[in-house]
């Protein structure tokens, strides 16, 4: 089948890599893509936000399946435009993508479906904001209601900073602080049947030891040796299936990838957030472990046939991904610097490691790869356990040279230690 992927980050590179390894995929296209995706897919300079243009491209290419990666086009209705053109699309409608596009909407759905989440207030005035901040006390959790590219959430002990962020948001969700480790669990759904993937953990803060500002994610790993083996079943029953059922009941079924961001608190599992798409960088490690060819599963979800789909098959391997970011990320990043050593990553002494591109582009000479965004690359590796996957990922990171770049050195460290003790 011919597949068109929309987007151009490391998540889309991971999706394209898996699709390119699927024997059922006869042609792979991506719009707009990046310098790394160009190695496995044909790129098209089409704006991911332009539903009509995406639908036109899919029609021209005679795509059997379109996969929309990022949240902004989903919230803007790009999947609807593709489906209206009669082409199967993996990704929710604009209505269903509000689960990510509006934190207040997500809270409303969770309340209706009795899904466990933090208590919260939706505020629009300074008086409401002060009342809510006062009710919860520190640490304060303040969330912009709308999409904010991973930068809408402030968690702080500083009342003045919490207040300032809340006032800048317009409509804001102020929430109880949830303590405990975070887990990302993805599920593929056709709006009725829900197929959970393997849990992963993301590292949101910029610096080692979970210090520094929030980012889009600096690394991830899977499996989680410390997690309760019953976690996936529990989240299926208390979070994923009820949410999918509630959206179907409302007449706006959610089909695509439902991402539950969870806190494992002392009082049980709580939803921190929903996303309406594969998460980045967790996708890099989850797909590295998936053995079932990807295209057929995504097509079955897009066509409402997941109930007939055999169970997913997984590798026993562990996977670790480390994000290499530009100088000054998550502030305004420096871009346009050459990236060297990419070919060395696939050298013989770095088995099972590969680079997934995020913010990169080819220089006019057609061969030099330049940094073009905050998160530049995601170096992913697999191994027999987390320690080996980690070692391979960091060995590969050390081969890459990008002036001023930064990465965390502690991705999956604690989990690898816990695994070694077990
Ligand atoms: P979000 O954009 O909703 O994923 O939030 C970004 C990050 O902020 C999360 O991954 C958490 O680390 C943190 N966060 C969000 N909500 C809460 C909460 N209620 N309690 C504690 N931390 C939170
Ligand atoms: N890993 C965080 C996100 O994709 O939103």
């Amino acid at each position: 089948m011919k597949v068109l992927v929309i987007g151009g980050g490391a998540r889309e590179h991971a999706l394209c890599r898996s699709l390119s390894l699927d024997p059922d995929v006869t042609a792979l296209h991506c719009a707009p893509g990046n310098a790394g995706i160009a190695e496995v897919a044909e790129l098209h300079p089409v704006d991911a936000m332009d539903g009509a243009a995406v639908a036109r491209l899919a029609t021209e290419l005679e795509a059997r399946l379109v996969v929309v990666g990022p949240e902004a086009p989903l919230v803007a209705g790009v999947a609807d435009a593709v489906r209206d053109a009669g082409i199967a699309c993996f990704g929710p409608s604009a209505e269903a993508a509000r689960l990510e596009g509006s934190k207040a909407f997500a809270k409303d759905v969770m309340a209706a479906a009795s899904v466990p989440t933090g208590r919260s207030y939706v505020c629009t005035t300074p008086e409401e904001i002060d009342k809510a901040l006062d009710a919860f006390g520190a640490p304060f959790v303040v969330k912009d209601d709308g999409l904010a590219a991973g930068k809408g959430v402030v968690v702080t002990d500083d009342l003045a900073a919490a207040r300032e962020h809340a006032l800048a948001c317009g409509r804001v969700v102020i929430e109880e602080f949830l303590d405990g480790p975070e887990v990302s669990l993805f599920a593929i759904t056709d709006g009725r049947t829900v197929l959970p993937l393997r849990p992963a953990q993301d590292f949101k803060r910029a610096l080692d030891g979970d210090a520094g500002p929030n980012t889009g994610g600096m690394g991830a790993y899977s499996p989680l040796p410390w997690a309760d083996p019953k976690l996936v079943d529990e989240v299926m029953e208390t979070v994923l299936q009820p949410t999918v059922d509630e959206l179907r009941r409302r007449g706006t079924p959610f089909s695509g990838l439902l991402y539950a961001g969870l806190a494992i608190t002392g009082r049980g599992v709580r939803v921190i957030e929903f996303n309406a798409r594969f998460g980045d960088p967790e996708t890099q490690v989850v797909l590295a472990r998936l053995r079932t060819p990807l295209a057929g599963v995504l097509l079955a979800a897009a066509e409402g046939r997941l109930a007939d789909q055999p169970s997913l098959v997984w590798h026993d391997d562990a996977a670790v991904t480390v994000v290499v970011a530009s100088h000054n990320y998550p502030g305004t990043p420096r871009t346009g610097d050459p990236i060297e050593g990419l070919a060395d990553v696939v050298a013989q002494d770095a088995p099972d490691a590969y680079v997934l591109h995020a913010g990169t582009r080819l220089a006019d000479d057609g061969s030099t790869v330049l940094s073009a965004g905050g998160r530049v690359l995601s170096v992913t590796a697999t191994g027999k356990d987390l320690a080996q996957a980690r070692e391979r990922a960091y060995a590969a990171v050390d081969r890459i040279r990008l002036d001023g770049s930064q990465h965390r050195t502690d991705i999956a460290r604690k989990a690898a230690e816990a695994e070694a003790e077990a």
Side-chain angles (χ1 to χ4, degrees):
M1 76 177 95
K2 295 180 183 171
V3 182
L4 169 62
V5 175
I6 302 303
R11 161 189 47 218
E12 286 75 28
H13 195 176
L15 286 163
C16 283
R17 180 177 186 273
S18 292
L19 291 166
S20 73
L21 297 171
D22 182 338
D24 284 339
V25 176
T26 51
L28 186 59
H29 299 269
C30 185
N34 62 36
I37 297 174
E39 291 168 20
V40 291
E42 185 181 334
L43 302 192
H44 302 271
V46 166
D47 179 4
M49 293 298 288
D50 185 341
V54 169
R56 215 178 306 123
L57 175 65
T59 305
E60 275 166 25
L61 295 172
E62 298 180 335
R64 176 75 203 281
L65 173 69
V66 175
V67 180
V68 181
E71 62 274 19
L74 290 166
V75 170
V78 169
D80 303 88
V82 172
R83 277 190 282 268
D84 287 348
I87 297 170
C89 188
F90 184 81
S93 66
E95 281 287 329
R98 288 179 71 209
L99 211 49
E100 172 163 6
S102 166
K103 306 252 183 213
F105 176 77
K107 286 289 188 191
D108 185 61
V109 169
M110 285 190 268
S114 302
V115 169
T117 184
R119 288 175 297 124
S120 65
Y121 296 102
V122 181
C123 308
T124 50
T125 67
E127 293 72 32
E128 286 170 352
I129 288 168
D130 286 332
K131 223 173 121 191
L133 292 172
D134 188 49
F136 290 128
F140 304 101
V141 181
V142 181
K143 301 184 170 184
D144 194 332
D145 180 48
L147 281 188
K151 294 179 184 148
V153 178
V154 166
V155 181
T156 177
D157 284 323
D158 179 349
L159 176 61
R163 204 164 176 272
E164 190 187 345
H165 180 61
L167 290 169
C169 287
R171 202 162 125 102
V172 66
V173 174
I174 294 178
E175 185 174 282
E176 124 186 64
F177 180 77
L178 298 170
D179 205 4
E182 290 180 35
V183 172
S184 300
L185 183 62
F186 302 163
I188 292 173
T189 175
D190 58 8
R192 186 176 292 273
T193 301
V194 182
L195 216 55
L197 306 187
R198 290 284 156 97
Q201 191 173 47
D202 175 17
F203 292 74
K204 283 271 167 78
R205 299 282 181 155
L207 306 175
D208 282 2
D210 294 328
N214 238 321
T215 71
M218 295 300 288
Y221 68 93
S222 177
L224 311 181
W226 49 270
D228 183 342
K230 293 198 285 292
L231 179 72
V232 174
D233 289 345
E234 182 190 341
V235 175
M236 265 296 281
E237 195 179 314
T238 61
V239 174
L240 297 168
Q241 191 70 57
T243 301
V244 166
D245 291 345
E246 171 63 17
L247 284 167
R248 191 175 67 249
R249 194 190 63 75
R250 291 179 181 213
T252 54
F254 185 103
S255 115
L257 194 289
L258 178 57
Y259 164 146
L262 307 161
I264 315 298
T265 77
R267 291 169 295 135
V269 173
R270 298 284 184 277
V271 174
I272 288 188
E273 63 164 345
F274 281 127
N275 292 318
R277 36 101 194 152
F278 281 97
D280 187 346
E282 299 96 310
T283 300
Q284 288 88 306
V285 290
V286 172
L287 292 185
R289 301 184 62 216
L290 179 65
R291 212 167 162 150
T292 304
L294 187 61
V297 186
L298 300 186
L299 184 65
E303 294 184 339
R305 296 185 282 102
L306 266 191
D308 307 328
Q309 189 64 26
S311 308
L312 297 175
V313 185
W314 298 90
H315 292 289
D316 288 334
D317 287 2
V320 171
T321 195
V322 178
V323 170
V324 176
S326 299
H327 181 70
N328 204 40
Y329 177 78
T332 307
R334 198 174 89 198
T335 59
D337 291 306
I339 306 163
E340 288 166 57
L342 291 172
D344 302 341
V345 169
V346 283
Q348 280 178 349
D349 56 345
D352 303 305
Y354 48 88
V355 176
L356 297 169
H357 291 225
T360 68
R361 66 178 178 85
L362 269 187
D364 292 337
D365 70 9
S367 60
T368 311
V369 178
L370 302 176
S371 62
R375 288 190 294 177
V376 180
L377 305 164
S378 192
V379 178
T380 305
T382 54
K384 65 177 179 351
D385 53 21
L386 287 171
Q388 189 179 52
R390 223 182 148 253
E391 215 170 275
R392 289 172 171 176
Y394 278 110
V397 167
D398 285 342
R399 290 189 174 80
I400 294 170
R401 291 174 300 281
L402 168 61
D403 193 38
S405 71
Q406 38 162 337
H407 63 268
R408 279 183 64 157
T409 66
D410 63 347
I411 303 301
R413 181 192 286 157
K414 273 195 216 149
E417 284 165 8
E419 188 184 51
E421 276 166 29

